[in-house]
Amino acid sequence: MKRRRLRRPTHATDSNVTETHDEYSSISDIPSSIARLVGSHKRKRSRHHKPTITPSQSESSVSTQQQGQARTNTVCSDREIETTFEDDTGSYGNIFNVVSTRKTGGAVLIKGIELYTDVDYDVAYEVYTKPNSFQSSDTLRDLSTWTLIADGFLVGLEGKLNVGTALPSSEIFSPVTIYPGQTQAFYVTLTTPDLRYVNGSALGITDVGETFVANDELAIQSGVGVGNYPLNAQAKFFSPRVWSGSIYYVTEEEPCPTSDSPSAPPCTNH
């Protein structure tokens, strides 16, 4: 499918513009479109990808516990799901939901991300997560209710527009498990207003919580831009915003799909 191109303004940001119509003073003000989660995909895109994973993150099997029964599943093929690396605005951070679209089978294990910044100097990043939709949380602005899964420094690729920057392989990324049908919220932020993303209205997104991209394992929804660092009770939100980035993940299978299946990726040991 041909990707829609954006007319890129001169480094517009959410932090230096007035968007009172997009700003939410409380989480209850944010409209919910979760019921339309998988029913109206804006587009579908995924591709197989093998990200760089540090030895502490490498594993050939993952032990999980679901419905009270312990089991060990085989981890199959590294994959990637990407939203877009086009941008027309930016700020400090994004909050968005990732949903497992699997109806059966094992969990999805998120093992890394790429984000988009277009500066060529060191910027500090932080990645947080919490279970369930961020729209259902009454403590959205309370950073203590989020779990920090990655932090460090990276350098963007100035002059190379629409190119993501992977988190450094030397930094630890704590894997996040999402079981079939479950929703997980993510908060990706820099300590400076250099994170680039997209105003959802430019891509046909009208509400927070709309599915922007999905495949047979994951869906990434539109979320909000965060106009402050750190996240706090006075944080300004702008919506709808589409996070510009990629998520690296692996899947659990019982058993792993056979290599002679035309639609099944081969099993790999990490």
Side-chain angles (χ1 to χ4, degrees):
M1 180 178 296
K2 186 176 181 180
R3 299 177 64 185
R4 183 180 303 185
R5 306 297 296 178
L6 296 176
R7 178 175 295 176
R8 192 172 190 268
T10 306
H11 214 271
T13 70
D14 280 333
S15 303
N16 57 21
V17 297
T18 301
E19 292 188 308
T20 54
H21 60 289
D22 283 339
E23 209 170 297
Y24 294 109
S25 59
S26 67
I27 188 61
S28 60
D29 293 333
I30 300 178
S32 177
S33 302
I34 301 300
R36 300 199 305 275
L37 172 62
V38 183
S40 59
H41 296 171
K42 294 298 178 184
R43 64 191 184 105
K44 292 188 176 183
R45 181 184 178 190
S46 67
R47 65 176 182 266
H48 297 301
H49 185 84
K50 189 173 182 62
T52 301
I53 300 174
T54 60
S56 63
Q57 297 168 313
S58 299
E59 51 197 339
S60 58
S61 65
V62 177
S63 295
T64 62
Q65 187 167 351
Q66 190 177 38
Q67 298 178 346
Q69 294 183 349
R71 56 190 173 87
T72 301
N73 288 344
T74 303
V75 171
C76 300
S77 72
D78 300 334
R79 303 182 185 186
E80 177 186 5
I81 183 170
E82 176 186 310
T83 57
T84 177
F85 285 111
E86 296 180 358
D87 70 304
D88 62 357
T89 189
S91 190
Y92 289 88
N94 281 123
I95 297 176
F96 56 94
N97 294 325
V98 177
V99 183
S100 171
T101 55
R102 302 191 114 194
K103 304 240 188 306
T104 59
V108 173
L109 188 70
I110 294 177
K111 307 194 78 171
I113 68 168
E114 286 187 5
L115 53 79
Y116 184 28
T117 181
D118 57 2
V119 297
D120 64 349
Y121 47 82
D122 278 349
V123 291
Y125 68 86
E126 298 170 5
V127 182
Y128 297 83
T129 191
K130 64 165 46 180
N132 303 317
S133 167
F134 76 86
Q135 292 169 271
S136 64
S137 174
D138 294 328
T139 57
L140 175 62
R141 288 178 169 85
D142 183 355
L143 195 58
S144 68
T145 66
W146 292 85
T147 300
L148 179 68
I149 58 173
D151 65 337
F153 293 87
L154 56 78
V155 178
L157 302 172
E158 186 175 25
K160 296 183 179 180
L161 300 181
N162 314 128
V163 177
T165 301
L167 303 189
S169 59
S170 59
E171 304 290 347
I172 298 299
F173 185 99
S174 300
V176 179
T177 300
I178 308 179
Y179 291 104
Q182 289 187 342
T183 299
Q184 191 80 14
F186 286 84
Y187 168 42
V188 178
T189 187
L190 304 180
T191 60
T192 55
D194 296 311
L195 189 70
R196 306 299 298 168
Y197 51 81
V198 186
N199 186 327
S201 61
L203 298 170
I205 300 291
T206 58
D207 289 330
V208 173
E210 287 191 42
T211 295
F212 178 72
V213 63
N215 59 25
D216 291 337
E217 288 108 21
L218 291 176
I220 302 177
Q221 297 180 340
S222 61
V224 297
V226 182
N228 306 76
Y229 176 86
L231 187 65
N232 55 49
Q234 287 73 46
K236 296 180 180 179
F237 294 150
F238 305 99
S239 76
R241 296 294 183 266
V242 174
W243 174 64
S244 295
S246 296
I247 291 177
Y248 301 130
Y249 65 97
V250 294
T251 60
E252 292 178 347
E253 302 295 343
E254 293 184 297
C256 211
T258 59
S259 58
D260 58 355
S261 172
S263 60
C267 299
T268 58
N269 292 325
H270 307 295

